[in-house]
Amino acid sequence: VMRRNPFGMDICCRKGSRSPLQELYNPTQVSLSNTAILHQIRRDQVTDTCRANSVSSRKRRVLTPNDLKHLVVDEDHEMIYCYVPKVACTNWKRVMMVLTGRGKYSDPMEIPANEAHVSSNLKTLNQYSIPEINHRLKNYMKFLFVREPFERLVSAYRNKFTQKYNTSFHKRYGTKIVRRQRKNATQEALRKGDDVKFEEFVAYLIDPHTQREEPFNEHWQTVYSLCHPCHIHYDLIGKYETLEEDSNYVLQLAGVGNYLKFPTYAKSTRTTDEMTTEFFQNISSLHQMQLYEVYKLDFLMFNYSVPSYLKLE
């Protein structure tokens, strides 16, 4: 039985009202206009970084449909969300399912996490024709959420390599990392790949062979490569550090802020700055420097300073 959403009508059909894009750039509410200034600063930071690094960042001028598979489209509210794994993307996908479900879902937290990641539950931009893609990129409000790059990396490592249930990751990546980075690995480690050390993971990421072999997995791929901020102009850049405010601001712009709030819950397992510092203790300064180079554009673009624990020469 499908549960009716009491706000089904509101959530589905906003025709006639102002679009999120209009509300963002010409706010009608004073409360929204202060926040608009903050987001203008974040947008400018991205633009400036793209310009300053244009040699490296504009190698590929034309985006292919494959580049757009992380951009989730909400037709009814004219929004596009680029999801970045390890930056509250499960909850944002849940919220997008409420927004696009036309009343099928009303509470994001009632949607099981694994269901939020079923690709057929959300429509992505690569499923449209070229004219349709261009129309949406021009007229819809585009947003993404970012996080301190190394904190996100440690979070991905902890989730994918230290949890026993992630056997598919251990098989797919763990075995490869052990084979390449561990001298005298045991047969069991080579077979299971379930005990990858953080130092080995870092060595794998900075190994030029890795980059040549295949693109990074989305959980540790740079935001720059997942969402293409130098080619796609994002109207709003939310941050993990201010997740609640930024998320609810997006929902306000969409006109659903009165009855849809971004789910919050205190997770004790969350990767923190202190934890990240600890993980980097055993990484040599050379490897730290090489790793910083890999994620440098994400640091610069989203205004994250070089972490104080790095031993950069």
Side-chain angles (χ1 to χ4, degrees):
V1 181
M2 267 182 20
R3 286 192 39 233
R4 281 303 301 151
N5 179 345
F7 315 110
M9 270 314 291
D10 288 325
I11 283 195
C12 116
C13 316
R14 57 169 297 122
K15 295 294 161 253
S17 58
R18 285 161 59 85
S19 75
L21 209 51
Q22 292 169 318
E23 199 54 69
L24 174 67
Y25 290 105
N26 299 296
T28 46
Q29 302 170 42
V30 178
S31 63
L32 293 181
S33 53
N34 296 339
T35 317
I37 296 165
L38 165 74
H39 287 281
Q40 179 62 56
I41 294 167
R42 290 181 186 173
R43 280 195 297 277
D44 290 345
Q45 177 76 21
V46 171
T47 308
D48 294 346
T49 307
C50 290
R51 204 171 287 138
N53 296 276
S54 59
V55 188
S56 56
S57 61
R58 289 202 174 268
K59 265 190 211 124
R60 287 222 323 276
R61 291 201 177 283
V62 182
L63 293 180
T64 64
N66 196 39
D67 292 320
L68 306 174
K69 58 181 190 288
H70 272 247
L71 280 79
V72 175
V73 181
D74 172 1
E75 293 287 349
D76 297 322
H77 304 89
E78 301 187 348
M79 298 197 300
I80 295 174
Y81 159 60
C82 184
Y83 69 89
V84 177
K86 307 314 300 171
V87 193
C89 93
T90 305
N91 278 352
W92 256 112
K93 284 181 176 179
R94 285 171 163 141
V95 169
M96 292 301 273
M97 282 171 71
V98 172
L99 290 172
T100 59
R102 307 208 165 193
K104 191 174 166 188
Y105 312 96
S106 58
D107 178 3
M109 290 319 276
E110 281 183 7
I111 302 170
N114 57 345
E115 205 176 312
H117 295 295
V118 174
S119 55
S120 57
N121 282 335
L122 291 165
K123 196 159 185 194
T124 47
L125 197 57
N126 58 337
Q127 296 168 6
Y128 292 84
S129 70
I130 303 289
E132 289 172 331
I133 289 172
N134 289 333
H135 170 78
R136 282 159 185 74
L137 284 175
K138 191 171 153 207
N139 297 292
Y140 287 16
M141 183 178 87
K142 299 166 295 298
F143 68 97
L144 79 164
F145 276 78
V146 299
R147 181 178 186 176
E148 202 280 339
F150 285 169
E151 197 179 287
R152 178 177 163 241
L153 192 64
V154 168
S155 175
Y157 166 78
R158 289 178 66 218
N159 179 254
K160 298 303 170 199
F161 294 107
T162 68
Q163 304 290 343
K164 289 293 170 223
Y165 61 80
N166 266 321
T167 47
S168 62
F169 262 83
H170 303 156
K171 280 262 187 291
R172 170 96 172 72
Y173 296 100
T175 52
K176 190 186 288 185
I177 294 171
V178 169
R179 191 172 66 242
R180 207 184 289 168
Q181 306 300 338
R182 189 179 302 176
K183 291 183 174 71
N184 313 324
T186 64
Q187 283 307 307
E188 190 184 21
L190 288 166
R191 195 180 77 250
K192 286 188 171 171
D194 64 352
D195 64 345
V196 171
K197 298 183 181 68
F198 186 64
E199 299 88 287
E200 293 170 330
F201 178 51
V202 168
Y204 162 79
L205 294 175
I206 59 180
D207 182 348
H209 185 76
T210 304
Q211 296 267 23
R212 282 197 299 271
E213 193 174 55
E214 59 181 346
F216 276 0
N217 176 277
E218 60 175 18
H219 290 85
W220 49 85
Q221 180 58 283
T222 59
V223 176
Y224 162 73
S225 303
L226 289 176
C227 296
H228 315 284
C230 289
H231 297 80
I232 293 171
H233 172 82
Y234 286 93
D235 303 290
L236 201 139
I237 295 148
K239 293 202 159 190
Y240 192 72
E241 295 76 14
T242 47
L243 179 63
E244 237 175 294
E245 304 94 290
D246 292 348
S247 298
N248 288 322
Y249 178 55
V250 172
L251 297 174
Q252 260 180 299
L253 293 170
V256 299
N258 294 341
Y259 43 80
L260 184 57
K261 291 276 177 273
F262 191 77
T264 55
Y265 52 98
K267 273 190 83 177
S268 53
T269 57
R270 230 201 82 195
T271 301
T272 59
D273 185 45
E274 292 75 43
M275 211 179 275
T276 306
T277 306
E278 253 167 72
F279 272 89
F280 272 85
Q281 290 298 301
N282 300 328
I283 307 296
S284 71
S285 53
L286 175 66
H287 281 189
Q288 287 186 1
M289 209 156 73
Q290 291 171 312
L291 191 68
Y292 179 76
E293 281 304 315
V294 173
Y295 292 93
K296 186 177 173 180
L297 278 177
D298 280 5
F299 274 101
L300 296 174
M301 208 167 266
F302 307 117
N303 208 16
Y304 287 108
S305 49
V306 176
S308 55
Y309 54 78
L310 283 199
K311 308 184 279 274
L312 296 185
E313 297 306 315

